[in-house]
Amino acid sequence: MDISKAAYLELVGEVNFHNHRYHVLDDPVISDLEYDALLVRLHQVEESHPEWIIPESPTQRTGAEITSKFKKVAHPKPILSLANAFGAPEANAWFERISRLDERVKKSGFVVEPKIDGLSVVLKYVKGNFVQGATRGDGIIGEEITANLKTLRSIPMRIPIYDDKNLLPVIPEVIYFRGEVFLYNEAFEKLNLELFNSGQKTYQNPRNTAAGSLRQLDPNVTAIRPLSILVYQVIDYEGGNIPTSQWELLNWLKNIGFPIASEAAKFNTIKEAILFTEAWETERDKLGYEADGMVIKLNDLELAEELGTVGKDPRGAVAFKFPGREVTTTLIDIGLSVGRTGVVTPYAILDPVNINGVIVERATLHNFDFILEKDIRPGDKVLVKRAGEVIPYVIGPIKDLRKADSKAYTLPETCPECGSHLEKVPGEVAYYCSNLNCPARLFRGVEHFVSKSGMDIVGMGEKIVEKLIENGAIKDAADIYGLNGEMITRAVSSKDRKSEKEPPGKLAENILNSIENSKTRPLRRLIAALGINNIGEVAANDLANHFGTLDRLFSASIEELTSIEGMGPIMAKAIVDWYSVEANRNILKKLKQFGVWPEVIAVENQPEMKGLLWGDTFVVTGSLPTLSREDVKLLIESNGGKLTDSVSKNTSYLVLGEKPGSKHEKAIKLNVPILSEAELIALIEERKSIT
């Protein structure tokens, strides 16, 4: 075609501009016919000049190659979830808690945004270009789905995007955004109708549709799904500045090309924020998409960051949950399950019922005291509630519909798995199986150990674990590392193999390789895999970073454990109690013998076995000359130092690079010593010479 490359680039920009007006601003300035004509012309130009095609072209959003699996991606910071508040009293209680921690909370103001029931994703941009997209995963590691996310027309391939005034806002050189991918209800219904008419399987709800669409191995399938995204947070950035309030951030996100929730609103007091949220409880259907609540956030982002977290929950925001949808069904029976710590938990076996697009057959009954207090009986008509992704639970019985011959529930006296006597610890509601060698306890413990959130041993499913225990090959989790090919082959051969394509020997070989590979898992994963009460992935990560080795962790006192931020006395006691059991100490002994003993820092030849930078807290801002953010993190932590996100009076040093943000100004105000990259390295070398 008779067109210059400059004209082609201008055409790309024009089509992207109209994409933005239509998909993000919902305010097109040309008709669909005119837009289609522009897109046809763009295709024609690129067919004539394929060497001109650039990644930012809207034609490049589809057609990527089919992948066989998703690559793992480490997030720059933990992608945290939120604590829940069910009603105004709990929201006020959250406000009072954080107000006691810092008086500035009362002056911060609040921003309220919808809590979208979708799939959380992280978008990475480098020098304005979209280079990587990932799922949230476990909050620390996600799956790369860049090709699939490129098919969403509401995600700009390059930022900043031209706005109505033709301005180019400045953005950090490297920046990570967080958003929620979802389907509008109307789009979901239309998609399901199309699938039904074509004889394909339909979806139960919009969230599952969004998740399934984003995890398609073929991006072309994702491309035809009507997915949308709303962006609401900056996870991390390097070089440059971002707004320091949530309200300014939302407007900034909109100006550089991202769709944001139009329902978001700013308030001066918590009372106003709660009233606004409560008003949406009865109006939620007007949102046009599924939302299970509203998120109340501190407007002051720096203050929110300084408040830190409690476990996996940031203190600076809370999810005000809408009342869940309630349904009535029949309680067929009360089942019992035995957990890895021996706790026996009751659960409801229900006549299957549809709640918000999910077929519910099981629901939690909390504990035995709850059953007795509510007088819940098998055969009762019961109210069942499901709020968002919370596990469905029984609210209580409808006693007016109870049959005349109904009998009260009798508490169990023995373990449903091994028949041992059940014990109740004074002051607790839980009942425990008294048998430390209970098969169910062992099974659940090993199952947790090999899971994705544990040591991620691929191939060791429930049936194989069950057979290995039954055959006596596994008596505790550490025995996994003593398995041989014959043991695994026997377990594989004895399970139902109708769906298996690989021969037993090959499957056994794959499992052995996975077991061997798991020895390289980081310390945080091993701590989480041990299954210590109340110690989840976030706490395991904190413990790994603080102690560096299992030896140091399990020699720590309750006082030392509770000195770690976010580590309360219950969690600390759980760690000490776990180690006090001889069987658990034997597990550690075996793991060490098998070479499963990861360390975060090398402590040999370090002052007091703690590292050259032990006791020092660092904050990094701006782009460093030679070290990436991961490099400087590794340098500091491998020498025993601690890296945090915000500057405070407790910060030992600020490491300063080019284009620093507000952290630089704050460090000056607080008289925090400032180091360049070279001075940081010199500090480490100086301490080496002293030791």
Side-chain angles (χ1 to χ4, degrees):
M1 295 185 68
D2 186 17
I3 185 174
S4 67
K5 186 174 182 180
Y8 161 73
L9 295 174
E10 186 176 347
L11 180 60
V12 170
E14 186 178 4
V15 177
N16 276 332
F17 169 80
H18 292 298
N19 269 336
H20 179 65
R21 295 286 314 196
Y22 185 89
H23 293 286
V24 178
L25 301 181
D26 198 23
D27 186 22
V29 292
I30 61 174
S31 67
D32 289 349
L33 185 64
E34 290 170 305
Y35 172 80
D36 290 341
L38 285 173
L39 197 57
V40 167
R41 178 168 173 76
L42 180 60
H43 277 290
Q44 291 173 342
V45 173
E46 291 183 340
E47 285 176 7
S48 300
H49 299 281
E51 72 278 10
W52 287 357
I53 298 176
I54 57 175
E56 295 95 312
S57 173
T59 64
Q60 301 306 297
R61 290 180 179 268
T62 60
E65 293 182 358
I66 298 175
T67 180
S68 60
K69 60 181 179 178
F70 296 106
K71 187 173 70 174
K72 302 297 182 184
V73 174
H75 298 307
K77 291 181 182 177
I79 311 301
L80 303 173
S81 55
L82 293 173
N84 294 328
F86 294 94
E90 291 187 20
N92 276 311
W94 162 75
F95 171 71
E96 293 298 331
R97 283 196 302 272
I98 61 175
S99 295
R100 288 193 292 271
L101 293 174
D102 197 317
E103 282 292 322
R104 292 176 296 168
V105 167
K106 296 178 180 178
K107 299 179 181 179
S108 165
F110 303 87
V111 173
V112 181
E113 302 168 45
K115 187 178 183 301
I116 307 161
D117 197 11
L119 187 73
S120 190
V121 296
V122 177
L123 312 174
K124 180 182 180 181
Y125 285 76
V126 177
K127 296 182 179 179
N129 295 307
F130 176 51
V131 298
Q132 187 182 82
T135 63
R136 177 180 181 269
D138 63 4
I140 297 172
I141 304 291
E143 292 180 318
E144 183 180 1
I145 52 170
T146 308
N148 292 2
L149 285 170
K150 280 185 175 181
T151 68
L152 274 69
R153 295 187 180 278
S154 48
I155 296 178
M157 293 298 97
R158 178 172 174 77
I159 55 172
I161 195 168
Y162 285 99
D163 63 14
D164 291 340
K165 297 180 181 178
N166 206 32
L167 296 176
L168 284 173
V170 177
I171 60 165
E173 184 173 351
V174 179
I175 187 166
Y176 298 80
F177 300 94
R178 183 179 181 181
E180 201 81 3
V181 175
F182 65 101
L183 275 84
Y184 282 94
N185 294 333
E186 184 177 351
F188 168 71
E189 292 167 4
K190 183 180 178 182
L191 173 64
N192 256 355
L193 181 61
E194 291 172 353
L195 292 172
F196 177 80
N197 290 337
S198 62
Q200 299 180 60
K201 181 181 177 182
T202 57
Y203 284 92
Q204 291 257 351
N205 56 58
R207 189 196 182 282
N208 288 352
T209 312
S213 299
L214 276 182
R215 299 195 76 257
Q216 291 288 327
L217 297 178
D218 183 0
N220 292 291
V221 177
T222 308
I224 61 175
R225 299 285 168 81
L227 300 172
S228 299
I229 188 172
L230 294 179
V231 178
Y232 52 88
Q233 183 182 4
V234 171
I235 298 296
D236 198 13
Y237 65 96
E238 299 175 17
N241 296 296
I242 64 169
T244 57
S245 77
Q246 180 64 17
W247 188 247
E248 291 172 345
L249 179 70
L250 289 176
N251 285 287
W252 180 75
L253 288 170
K254 183 177 180 180
N255 287 337
I256 63 174
F258 288 105
I260 63 169
S262 59
E263 299 82 8
K266 176 175 173 287
F267 302 95
N268 292 324
T269 67
I270 187 64
K271 181 179 180 180
E272 293 170 328
I274 291 175
L275 287 173
F276 176 80
T277 299
E278 288 177 324
W280 276 107
E281 289 184 5
T282 56
E283 301 291 330
R284 69 172 93 173
D285 292 336
K286 291 183 179 179
L287 290 170
Y289 51 80
E290 292 296 320
D292 56 1
M294 304 292 278
V295 180
I296 302 176
K297 304 178 180 180
L298 289 179
N299 190 34
D300 186 337
L301 293 176
E302 292 184 338
L303 173 58
E305 189 175 29
E306 289 177 22
L307 286 172
T309 62
V310 178
K312 62 180 177 61
D313 305 325
R315 290 190 176 97
V318 70
F320 189 118
K321 302 298 287 290
F322 292 150
R325 314 287 188 178
E326 300 175 4
V327 298
T328 303
T329 189
T330 301
L331 175 65
I332 297 173
D333 201 357
I334 295 176
L336 301 173
S337 66
V338 183
R340 63 179 185 269
T341 60
V343 174
V344 178
T345 306
Y347 63 89
I349 302 172
L350 305 170
D351 187 17
V353 61
N354 188 314
I355 308 179
N356 289 340
V358 175
I359 302 300
V360 175
E361 300 180 66
R362 298 284 189 273
T364 181
L365 283 165
H366 303 298
N367 52 60
F368 293 111
D369 285 358
F370 177 79
I371 294 174
L372 297 179
E373 178 188 340
K374 296 286 186 178
D375 188 20
I376 299 171
R377 306 178 183 185
D380 277 348
K381 286 288 184 181
V382 291
L383 273 174
V384 182
K385 183 174 181 178
R386 177 180 179 268
E389 293 306 303
V390 176
I391 297 171
Y393 61 94
V394 173
I395 298 173
I398 304 173
K399 295 182 180 179
D400 289 344
L401 299 178
R402 178 173 285 167
K403 295 179 180 179
D405 59 352
S406 172
K407 295 181 180 179
Y409 179 71
T410 304
L411 290 175
E413 296 181 354
T414 58
C415 173
E417 295 290 341
C418 69
S420 299
H421 179 69
L422 296 185
E423 297 176 346
K424 189 173 188 295
V425 178
E428 294 187 19
V429 297
Y431 283 75
Y432 292 84
C433 172
S434 58
N435 179 13
L436 290 175
N437 297 312
C438 174
R441 294 184 66 171
L442 174 58
F443 174 74
R444 296 300 176 196
V446 174
E447 185 183 39
H448 173 74
F449 189 89
V450 303
S451 68
K452 284 188 176 181
S453 60
M455 299 300 278
D456 193 14
I457 300 177
V458 180
M460 285 196 69
E462 291 184 7
K463 295 293 185 183
I464 293 177
V465 169
E466 188 175 25
K467 287 297 180 183
L468 287 168
I469 293 174
E470 186 180 299
N471 295 340
I474 292 180
K475 295 182 175 61
D476 59 43
D479 285 340
I480 290 168
Y481 295 97
L483 295 173
N484 57 42
E486 182 183 346
M487 295 174 179
I488 299 176
T489 300
R490 193 184 314 133
V492 171
S493 300
S494 60
K495 73 187 253 312
D496 180 9
R497 297 187 34 77
K498 291 180 181 178
S499 62
E500 298 289 356
K501 297 179 181 179
E502 298 278 3
K506 181 61 177 176
L507 282 173
E509 181 184 342
N510 292 340
I511 292 172
L512 278 175
N513 288 336
S514 186
I515 291 172
E516 188 63 28
N517 291 337
S518 75
K519 292 181 179 180
T520 63
R521 301 282 185 263
L523 178 58
R524 61 179 174 81
R525 294 283 291 276
L526 179 54
I527 294 173
L530 292 174
I532 303 170
N533 276 351
N534 301 302
I535 304 300
E537 294 173 27
V538 173
N541 189 53
D542 291 341
L543 290 167
N545 289 333
H546 184 86
F547 292 106
T549 68
L550 288 177
D551 289 312
R552 289 189 55 222
L553 167 61
F554 289 113
S555 64
S557 63
I558 287 182
E559 290 72 22
E560 185 177 359
L561 288 164
T562 53
S563 69
I564 303 171
E565 184 179 357
M567 189 70 55
I570 294 176
M571 298 167 75
K573 185 176 184 299
I575 294 168
V576 173
D577 287 350
W578 186 91
Y579 187 69
S580 69
V581 177
E582 184 179 1
N584 293 333
R585 294 198 299 273
N586 287 336
I587 289 174
L588 294 178
K589 184 178 179 181
K590 286 184 186 179
L591 287 173
K592 199 167 193 176
Q593 290 171 346
F594 286 125
V596 188
W597 208 254
E599 297 183 0
V600 171
I601 58 172
V603 297
E604 293 82 6
N605 302 318
Q606 303 291 339
E608 299 182 2
M609 302 293 284
K610 292 178 178 178
L612 297 167
L613 301 178
W614 181 262
D616 290 334
T617 301
F618 295 80
V619 174
V620 180
T621 184
S623 301
L624 300 179
T626 64
L627 297 175
S628 67
R629 190 58 62 95
E630 280 300 312
D631 290 337
V632 74
K633 183 177 187 291
L634 180 62
L635 178 65
I636 290 170
E637 292 184 348
S638 65
N639 283 285
K642 182 180 180 182
L643 190 65
T644 62
D645 297 325
S646 57
V647 176
S648 70
K649 61 183 180 181
N650 297 320
T651 303
S652 306
Y653 299 97
L654 176 76
V655 181
L656 182 66
E658 294 182 1
K659 299 179 182 178
S662 57
K663 296 174 184 177
H664 184 204
E665 298 173 5
K666 191 166 185 180
I668 294 174
K669 290 179 182 178
L670 295 175
N671 294 317
V672 173
I674 297 173
L675 301 175
S676 65
E677 177 188 301
E679 289 170 332
L680 170 63
I681 295 172
L683 175 66
I684 296 172
E685 293 300 321
E686 179 184 346
R687 294 191 180 178
K688 280 183 182 178
S689 65
I690 295 174
T691 59

